[in-house]
Every structure is written in structure tokens, then in C-alpha cells.
Amino acid sequence: MPAVAPEILVWARETAGFTVDEAARRLPIGDARGSTARERLSAMEAGKAEISRAMLVKMATLYHRPLLTFYLAAPPRTGDRGEDFRTLPDRHTDAEPLIDALIRDVRARQSMVRSLLDDEDAQPLPFVGGMSVAAGPDAVVADIQHRIGFDADSFRAEPKVEAAFNALRAKVEAVGVFVLLIGSLGSHHTAIDADAFRGLALADPVAPFIVINDQDAKSAWSFTLLHELAHLWIGAGGVSGPHADGRVEQFCNDVASRFLLPAPDLATVAIDRQMNLADIASRVESFADERRISRSLVIYRLFRDNRLSEADWRALSDRFRAEWRQRRATQRDENRQANGGPNYYTVRQHRIGTALLRLVERTLGEGSLTPTKAGKVLGVKPRNVVPLLRYVATPTTTRSTSSRSSGHF
């Protein structure tokens, strides 16, 4: 087996956010030959003890690194996140390694997609970086609406917020943007809280990607999609969080909020500064539900329109967030007690999006993409690529009934 540079082991552990004690416990290494697990791992990282391939496989899994990474001669440079638009209070230190791993994965997938599109002589999309903050949020809203053919009445006619998001996502993907739903690295142990990471925009002119954290409330997905789309429009890719303290983040929030709740509609919200918070919350909830948007979006617009004080806005934001977390916890408990769960291929289809699935289906059929690379692009095992594509191509009404049922800004 090729030699492994000790500094690679240290780098992989530290960038994954583990201390020596934590890594030794979770690998697990175990005590042996008079040495503690911590001492054994320290010896490996110092180059004083041999490391087996089986242990490297465990490290690759725990540290979220490809196995081949451990055979590099030296640690690679830190991956490029683009600009990090999150403010310091948003940071969850334990989530940062997971966010880095997620971004590495998405960038690798984007690189392969870009290569496929370059082979097809795909032309740059004119809207990526086509406008600037100086144009103002209303101009960007109007341009996005025009290019994607958005119709507010159709959006609000959808039966639920998730259906409304799906309709909006389809229009965004139709103009050439790949939209993924990713909120973990494949297990609930690696779920990334929306308070640490809300969305990501990779502003490539040929293969622009948007990632939405699906750990967030479904009512927030449409807002996040439009927020990240605004990032693409001004050519400012990067990571976004829940707060908008910076100029660019506030601009993208204004674009998304005005898109979903224009001024004439905002004027119909029947609240004033003299009302108590409970009455405001009740009216906002009814208004938001009717328009398939989040309550947090409504109160943000009211605050920006000077119809809510900053103190009331923050109090309501905390209230809505706490209520959502409670509902989510209750739903998870009910799901654990229920039999079955969502069909694997249904979940994958929803997370991957139609645009990426269609690209893979076409290029796989043409022979320009292998099943192994197709799996990497889609984020699934190679053996699941063809079954997934077949499942997506099968009309919903003819799918086997034996499949398990799917039981703020």
C-alpha cells in the first residue's frame, strides 16, 4: 500500500472538525498493546505507527473525504466557497466542516456538468452577472420575472407551499439553472442546521448551481431559491445564512421578498403598530398561507416598509422560528412511529431536480457520460443511476403501488 503522509491525516481530521480524542472515539480505534486509542491515533498522525487500509476507509467516511485524498503528497488548498455572506453570529462552528464538505461535493458535480455542457457548445447564460446591485432590487425582480415567465396567480393557486416551490423551481431550471435540495451529507448525523447554512449560489455562466438547505422550513424554500437567484443575477456567488446584515445579502433578500410579496399586496396586510403581537401573528399567518409564502417573509417586508418596529419584527421572527422547530420535532416523532417512509427514488428525484436528471439521461444515452460519473453528478451510487432514471421516466399513475408512501423565510 502506498505511504500516507502524516500531515494528510492531521489535515483531514482538523478540517473535519475533530479533536484527536473525538476522532479516536468515533473511528473507533480502541486501546491495544498498552496504548490508548488517543495515543495510537497520535502515533499514526506522527508517522510513528503504520495505518491499515481498513483504518483509512474509516477515516475517509468519518472525515467526509475521498479515499484517494489520503494518498496526496501534501494537504490541498482550502476549497473555494465563493464569498461567505453569513455574519459571524450565524456561524455554528461544528457545522463548518460539513458545509465545506457539501460545497466540495457540489463544486465537483458542477465541474462535471460544465464539462458536459462545454462539449455540447453550450452558450453562456446572459443573466448570470448581467445586473448589479446599483440597478436596484425592483429592476432585478422585473428581469427575473420576465426571463422565467413567473405568474403570481398560478404560484398562489398551488395547493401547498411545497407545490408552489416545485412550480417556481421548474421555471428557474427551464432557463438553465440547476437547483439542488441538500441539507446533509447523506445521513441525519450530518444534517446542517438552517441557522448555519441556508443556501449556496455558484455563479458559473454555463452551469450555474443553486443549493437550498432542505433542513429549513418548506415555506422558506421559495424565498431561498429567489435569494440565491438574485446572487446569480448580480454574479456574486457564495454561501448565505438566515440574517441579512451585509449590503449584498440585504439586496438579495429585498429581491426575493419583493418578488413574492410586491408592494400592492403588502398594503393589504391588515395590521398596524398598535396591535399586540398575538393578533399580528394570527393575521400574518393567514395572509402567508393564502399566498404560499412564509410568515417570516411577510414580517420582513412589513419591517422594511416601516409598518413593524425592529423589536416587534425580531420578536415575531423568534416566535415563528420556535413554532416551526416545535412542529418539526413533532413531525419527526410521528414519522419515527409510522410504518414505512418516502420512496428512495421519489426522494432522490426531488432533491436532484429535473434539470440535472435530464442532462444525465441525455448524456448517458449518448455515451458521453459513464454510469460511474453519472452517479457522481447525481450524488447516488452508480448502480442506482439507471433505476432512478427509469423511475423518473415512468408516469406517476403507473408506478407500483407497492412503493412505500411518504408518510420562515
Side-chain angles (χ1 to χ4, degrees), residues 199-264:
L200 168 70
L202 300 181
D204 185 276
V206 174
F209 269 57
I210 285 175
V211 176
I212 298 168
N213 186 349
D214 62 2
Q215 302 296 317
D216 203 357
K218 292 178 180 179
S219 60
W221 291 357
S222 290
F223 179 91
T224 301
L225 172 54
L226 289 163
H227 175 101
E228 301 305 334
L229 200 61
H231 274 289
L232 296 185
W233 244 250
I234 61 175
V239 186
S240 299
H243 302 301
D245 294 334
R247 178 172 178 245
V248 172
E249 282 296 87
Q250 185 169 297
F251 178 86
C252 293
N253 268 2
D254 286 343
V255 170
S257 60
R258 295 185 192 190
F259 188 107
L260 292 171
L261 183 52

Side-chain angles (χ1 to χ4, degrees), residues 320-392:
F320 292 154
R321 192 71 177 171
E323 290 175 354
W324 169 72
R325 287 186 179 280
Q326 181 58 51
R327 288 196 300 271
R328 183 178 64 171
T330 301
Q331 184 63 54
R332 285 177 175 173
D333 288 340
E334 292 175 352
N335 290 341
R336 278 194 289 267
Q337 296 172 11
N339 293 324
N343 176 280
Y344 169 84
Y345 296 112
T346 299
V347 172
R348 287 296 170 185
Q349 177 184 3
H350 189 48
R351 290 177 177 170
I352 295 167
T354 302
L356 203 54
L357 285 165
R358 287 177 176 170
L359 174 67
V360 168
E361 182 179 34
R362 184 178 74 250
T363 53
L364 192 62
E366 294 170 350
S368 54
L369 189 65
T370 65
T372 298
K373 288 187 176 181
K376 291 180 180 178
V377 170
L378 296 178
V380 302
K381 295 182 183 301
R383 67 172 180 268
N384 289 331
V385 171
V386 173
L388 174 59
L389 294 176
R390 286 175 178 168
Y391 180 85
V392 173

Side-chain angles (χ1 to χ4, degrees), residues 170-308:
K171 289 185 175 295
V172 172
E173 290 190 325
V175 299
V177 180
F178 297 93
V179 181
L180 307 180
L181 288 168
I182 309 176
S184 74
L185 301 183
S187 72
H188 69 276
H189 297 294
T190 58
I192 304 173
D193 196 288
D195 285 342
F197 161 72
R198 188 156 217 182
L200 168 70
L202 300 181
D204 185 276
V206 174
F209 269 57
I210 285 175
V211 176
I212 298 168
N213 186 349
D214 62 2
Q215 302 296 317
D216 203 357
K218 292 178 180 179
S219 60
W221 291 357
S222 290
F223 179 91
T224 301
L225 172 54
L226 289 163
H227 175 101
E228 301 305 334
L229 200 61
H231 274 289
L232 296 185
W233 244 250
I234 61 175
V239 186
S240 299
H243 302 301
D245 294 334
R247 178 172 178 245
V248 172
E249 282 296 87
Q250 185 169 297
F251 178 86
C252 293
N253 268 2
D254 286 343
V255 170
S257 60
R258 295 185 192 190
F259 188 107
L260 292 171
L261 183 52
D265 291 343
L266 181 67
T268 67
V269 182
I271 69 107
D272 59 59
R273 283 177 173 254
Q274 307 308 314
M275 293 174 62
N276 62 54
L277 288 184
D279 288 340
I280 293 175
S282 178
R283 295 193 182 188
V284 165
E285 181 172 9
S286 298
F287 182 88
D289 288 347
E290 290 174 359
R291 286 158 177 77
R292 305 297 181 258
I293 56 179
S294 72
R295 295 174 295 173
S296 296
L297 163 57
V298 178
I299 60 172
Y300 174 77
R301 288 285 279 124
L302 290 169
F303 165 62
R304 295 286 287 167
D305 199 46
N306 203 33
R307 293 177 61 191
L308 269 184

Side-chain angles (χ1 to χ4, degrees), residues 22-95:
E22 291 169 337
R25 183 175 65 254
R26 294 187 59 178
L27 281 168
I29 291 180
D31 301 341
R33 296 185 295 277
S35 298
T36 66
R38 186 188 194 287
E39 290 170 341
R40 294 183 63 200
L41 179 56
S42 295
M44 294 176 198
E45 292 185 350
K48 297 178 180 179
E50 292 186 4
I51 182 169
S52 67
R53 180 178 175 84
M55 182 56 66
L56 282 178
V57 171
K58 290 180 180 180
M59 289 179 172
T61 300
L62 180 63
Y63 300 158
H64 304 294
R65 295 281 180 181
L67 186 60
L68 289 176
T69 302
F70 291 86
Y71 298 107
L72 295 173
R77 293 182 301 174
T78 302
D80 180 18
R81 290 184 174 188
E83 189 167 349
D84 195 332
F85 296 104
R86 300 170 302 160
T87 52
L88 288 175
D90 299 337
R91 302 296 185 94
H92 289 214
T93 305
D94 56 346

Side-chain angles (χ1 to χ4, degrees), residues 6-24:
E7 56 267 33
I8 289 289
L9 299 180
V10 176
W11 163 80
R13 173 179 56 75
E14 290 180 343
T15 55
F18 293 107
T19 64
V20 175
D21 289 327
E22 291 169 337

